[in-house]
């Protein structure tokens, strides 16, 4: 499977996907230190590298159409986290970046989506923020499943709850992904 890594950070999704034999064709992160770490950890030669997702044109995204099976993204969580101000979509600098992912999805039309954020995304704004995200993905033609997973349930020595959202284009998925349970 060929994937595009948005809001890539230092490459957590990439490490997992490559360990299963999948191939990355491009990545995007606005933080220069995260990008430097990403490139030091992974061989990114020949891949598209983007910095600020807001500056990637629709035409650039469309270059991936038919070449990208999966978009994965860990979009910014500060506006949804209980550790933050929980301003949700009112925070125009970070929270609305989800809609940049939606723009990329619309142009690329990958078969699958894998998104991750903090558990607080579910309750932010009385649940309205999460409803908007699910509705947006649905309007793009994707069936959506989601579940909160905790890293401690998968052998990681920390308590880190995250919501994972899996989208599949139309009837692309032959089985349910969630619920899943840790080891």
């Amino acid at each position: 499977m060929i994937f595009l890594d948005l809001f890539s950070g230092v490459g957590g999704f990439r490490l997992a996907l490559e360990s299963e034999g999948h191939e990355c064709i491009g990545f995007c992160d606005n933080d220069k230190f995260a990008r430097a770490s990403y490139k030091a950890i992974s061989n990114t030669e020949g891949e598209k590298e983007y910095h600020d997702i807001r500056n990637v044109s629709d035409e650039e995204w469309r270059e991936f159409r038919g070449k990208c099976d999966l978009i994965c993204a860990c979009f910014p969580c500060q506006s949804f986290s209980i550790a933050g101000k929980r301003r949700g979509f009112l925070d125009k600098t970070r929270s609305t970046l989800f809609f940049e992912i939606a723009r990329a999805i619309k142009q690329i039309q990958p078969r699958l989506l894998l998104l991750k954020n903090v558990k607080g995304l579910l309750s932010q704004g009385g649940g309205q923020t999460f409803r908007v995200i699910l509705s947006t993905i649905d309007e793009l033609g994707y069936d959506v499943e989601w579940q909160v997973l905790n890293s401690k349930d998968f052998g990681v020595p920390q308590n880190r709850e995250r919501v994972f959202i899996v989208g599949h284009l139309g009837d692309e998925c032959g089985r349910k992904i969630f619920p899943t349970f840790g080891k």
Side-chain angles (χ1 to χ4, degrees):
M1 183 176 314
I2 307 297
F3 69 95
L4 186 61
D5 197 359
L6 305 181
F7 299 97
S8 58
V10 299
F13 268 151
R14 181 184 185 125
L15 289 173
L17 289 166
E18 284 185 338
S19 75
E20 294 298 315
H22 305 296
E23 178 186 349
C24 185
I25 57 172
F27 62 98
C28 179
D29 201 284
N30 200 37
D31 185 293
K32 67 181 179 180
F33 299 110
R35 280 194 319 273
S37 295
Y38 189 96
K39 293 191 289 188
I41 294 167
S42 301
N43 177 7
T44 61
E45 186 177 336
E47 296 176 14
K48 295 281 190 170
E49 176 183 341
Y50 300 103
H51 300 184
D52 190 335
I53 194 169
R54 295 169 295 190
N55 295 332
V56 181
S57 70
D58 289 351
E59 292 78 24
E60 289 174 290
W61 286 139
R62 279 194 294 273
E63 290 177 19
F64 291 104
R65 190 177 288 177
K67 300 173 187 168
C68 177
D69 302 306
L70 167 70
I71 289 178
C72 57
C74 299
F75 56 104
C77 66
Q78 294 89 337
S79 302
F80 314 120
S81 174
I82 58 172
K85 295 182 180 175
R86 296 191 47 90
R87 295 191 66 221
F89 289 143
L90 296 176
D91 177 356
K92 301 295 183 195
T93 59
R94 290 188 179 131
S95 67
T96 56
L97 291 173
F98 163 76
F99 296 105
E100 291 296 327
I101 297 169
R103 185 171 65 86
I105 291 167
K106 181 178 182 180
Q107 299 306 318
I108 298 168
Q109 300 175 358
R111 293 183 308 118
L112 300 166
L113 310 173
L114 178 56
L115 310 178
K116 179 184 74 119
N117 210 288
V118 294
K119 179 182 173 183
L121 178 67
L122 301 175
S123 59
Q124 202 289 317
Q128 182 59 25
T129 299
F130 194 59
R131 282 191 290 278
V132 167
I133 288 171
L134 294 180
S135 175
T136 300
I137 296 169
D138 179 68
E139 288 171 9
L140 292 168
Y142 291 81
D143 291 334
V144 180
E145 299 177 56
W146 61 273
Q147 184 175 348
V148 174
L149 300 174
N150 193 327
S151 60
K152 73 178 186 178
D153 296 328
F154 295 88
V156 178
Q158 64 180 203
N159 184 25
R160 190 174 172 98
E161 293 180 302
R162 296 295 181 260
V163 61
F164 286 83
I165 304 166
V166 174
H168 42 90
L169 190 57
D171 293 328
E172 284 289 322
C173 186
R175 64 176 179 85
K176 290 286 188 188
I177 304 298
F178 296 122
T180 187
F181 303 98
K183 297 176 183 174

